[in-house]
């Protein structure tokens, strides 16, 4: 893995959100000077490590953003901020093109102005659409099937042009399913659509049951298979990217899938609670299997998951949810 031994100024959008908060924690621990820029629409003030400076602002507020970037004088920019609800994007696509494409254009222009030396972007496996081959490699054709995936793909393309024309080097990370928690920071979305936190809410007695969408998929137990990657491992990849040269795209996943039923079993086992579930019909647009090949990140970036076991991932999430049963205080 590339190591950055010296302290860098790093500007992190969305650093008050789930993945951003854990990455900021790691950056601060590694000795970097971190500015977080977040509008707190989904994020939380307490999710920002006290060693980082928080600027509350929106990517759409050009002057405020440029001011924060100039003051942060970043060598690297890590861009987590986005709207990330697939279902909502199917009913309100404009919100996704505005927040994930139009407004972040300000960030690209600010990055060019301050001559940032690296731009790290949180992309997603949703840019691929239903894959032709499993595991999914970075050269899988990108054919998103929802505006969320499309908006992320559009930003990837913008970034590629900015690299070519303005010489802004990038690391694009296509995450699979982020899961788990660090000791201090975990997953607290106002609208939670992810399987593990929803199962753990049932385990905590905050919901009567969780829904399972589709039990007749062509998979061994009939439920969808997804690739769960620990949030601390995602953070580690971002730290490694700071020492990267050139511009590259990487999948970030475990390289192994778990079915919905396997995740339910792991949550029951770890929590020791029954966790009732209700079986529902398939949701439109859910591919049966999404599993990453993270081989390129392994060989090029020297990154590999340090917490690959589903039970350990769930345990870390359970610890965090038990310690924060109602999430962060600022909900
Ligand atoms: N969670 C996953 O499994 C997953 C998978 C693939 C990709 N991603 C991507 O990773 C990134 C982080 O995901 P997350 O789960 O941590 O999401 P999150 O919603 O917890 O964090 C996003 C943060 O961005 C902030 N934000 C949103 N719009 C903003 C704006 N216009 N200006 C300033 N701040 C703004 C929110 O307040 C929030 O704190 C997103 O870009 C998402 O698309 C996440």
């Amino acid at each position: 893995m590339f190591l950055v031994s010296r302290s860098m100024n790093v500007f992190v959008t969305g650093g008050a959100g789930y993945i951003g908060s854990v990455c900021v924690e790691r950056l601060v621990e590694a000795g970097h000077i971190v500015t977080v820029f977040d509008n707190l629409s989904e994020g939380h003030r307490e999710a920002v490590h006290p060693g980082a400076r928080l600027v509350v602002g929106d990517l759409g507020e050009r002057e405020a953003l440029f001011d924060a970037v100039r003051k942060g004088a970043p060598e690297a920019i890590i861009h987590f901020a986005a709207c990330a609800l697939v279902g909502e994007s199917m009913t309100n696509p404009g919100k996704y093109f505005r927040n994930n494409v139009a407004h972040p254009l300000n960030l690209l222009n600010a990055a060019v102005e301050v001559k940032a030396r690296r731009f790290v972007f949180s992309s997603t496996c949703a840019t691929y659409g239903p894959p032709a081959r499993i595991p999914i490699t970075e050269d899988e054709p990108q054919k998103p099937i929802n505006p969320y995936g499309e908006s992320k793909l559009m930003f990837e393309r913008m970034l590629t042009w900015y690299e070519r024309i303005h010489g802004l080097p990038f690391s694009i990370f296509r995450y699979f399913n982020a899961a788990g928690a660090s000791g201090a920071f975990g997953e607290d979305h106002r609208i939670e659509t992810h399987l593990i936190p929803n199962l753990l809410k049932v385990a905590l007695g905050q919901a009567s049951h969780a829904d399972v969408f589709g039990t007749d998929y062509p998979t061994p137990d009939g439920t969808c298979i997804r690739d769960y990657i620990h949030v601390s491992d995602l953070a580690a990849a971002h730290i490694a990217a700071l020492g990267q040269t050139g511009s590259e795209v990487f999948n970030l996943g475990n390289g192994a899938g778990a079915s919905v039923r396997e995740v339910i079993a792991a949550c029951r086992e770890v929590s020791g609670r029954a966790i009732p579930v209700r079986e529902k019909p398939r949701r439109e647009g859910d591919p049966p299997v999404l599993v990453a090949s993270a081989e390129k990140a392994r060989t090029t970036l020297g990154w590999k998951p340090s917490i690959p076991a589903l039970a350990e991932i769930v345990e870390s999430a359970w610890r965090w949810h038990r310690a924060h049963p109602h999430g962060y205080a600022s909900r």
Side-chain angles (χ1 to χ4, degrees), residues 248-295:
E248 295 281 356
V249 179
F250 299 102
N251 285 340
L252 293 181
N254 242 325
S259 73
V260 172
R261 288 198 204 283
E262 285 169 338
V263 175
I264 295 167
C267 289
R268 285 177 176 154
E269 174 75 26
V270 164
S271 67
R273 315 276 165 93
I275 314 186
V277 296
R278 207 162 53 183
E279 294 185 0
K280 296 265 196 83
R282 293 181 183 196
R283 274 185 310 205
E284 203 188 330
D286 266 346
V289 182
L290 288 176
V291 174
S293 161
E295 210 35 51

Side-chain angles (χ1 to χ4, degrees), residues 13-20 37-44 57-60 79-84 99-100 103 121-125 148 152 173-179 187-190 194 234:
T13 74
Y18 169 43
I19 305 171
F37 187 86
D38 199 302
N39 65 5
L40 302 181
S41 58
E42 257 304 336
H44 309 269
D58 192 283
L59 292 169
H79 177 39
F80 291 102
C83 295
N99 205 51
N100 296 358
H103 288 170
F121 174 52
S122 305
S123 191
T124 163
C125 62
Y148 165 62
K152 288 285 181 173
F173 287 131
R174 295 184 190 139
Y175 313 153
F176 282 62
N177 291 51
E187 190 164 12
D188 179 15
H189 291 120
R190 289 172 178 82
H194 296 131
L234 292 180

